Amino acid sequence: MPTIRFTGHMARHRPTPMLEAKGADVRSLLADAFKADAFLAGYILDEQGRLRKHVNIFVDGEMIEDRVRLSDAVKPSSEIYIMQALSGG
């Protein structure tokens, strides 16, 4: 089953244990993972269900390409990392 891990920066805002979830793509995986924690879901996704501007998701070491539909594929053995994106100069 895919595992979801959060970086330490995310834990400052909400407890973020490692999660296991079912899904064939990022959207279905997150929907399964966030069933029990709507607040965490709201921190990761905006009101339209898109990835928030300052959040990045990596699947097996690669940043996802589809930040709107979250259609990037996930394998049963995938490791997903969710982190706060940094911006500035």
Side-chain angles (χ1 to χ4, degrees):
M1 186 175 295
T3 57
I4 302 171
R5 300 175 194 273
F6 299 86
T7 60
H9 285 89
M10 300 293 288
R12 291 187 333 193
H13 304 286
R14 185 76 176 158
T16 52
M18 184 191 80
L19 302 171
E20 290 186 336
K22 298 176 187 172
D25 60 20
V26 173
R27 175 159 311 282
S28 60
L29 184 80
L30 292 179
D32 187 51
F34 295 152
K35 283 180 187 175
D37 195 339
F39 184 83
L40 183 57
Y43 189 78
I44 305 298
L45 305 174
D46 68 14
E47 296 77 20
Q48 289 79 39
R50 297 178 296 214
L51 191 60
R52 289 197 179 275
K53 181 179 179 181
H54 294 291
V55 175
N56 282 332
I57 297 178
F58 289 80
V59 175
D60 298 325
E62 299 289 327
M63 189 162 54
I64 65 170
E65 294 180 14
D66 184 0
R67 297 178 59 86
V68 175
R69 294 186 327 264
L70 305 173
S71 64
D72 296 73
V74 176
K75 297 179 280 191
S77 61
S78 287
E79 290 188 343
I80 291 82
Y81 284 87
I82 300 177
M83 62 188 65
Q84 185 174 6
L86 301 176
S87 61

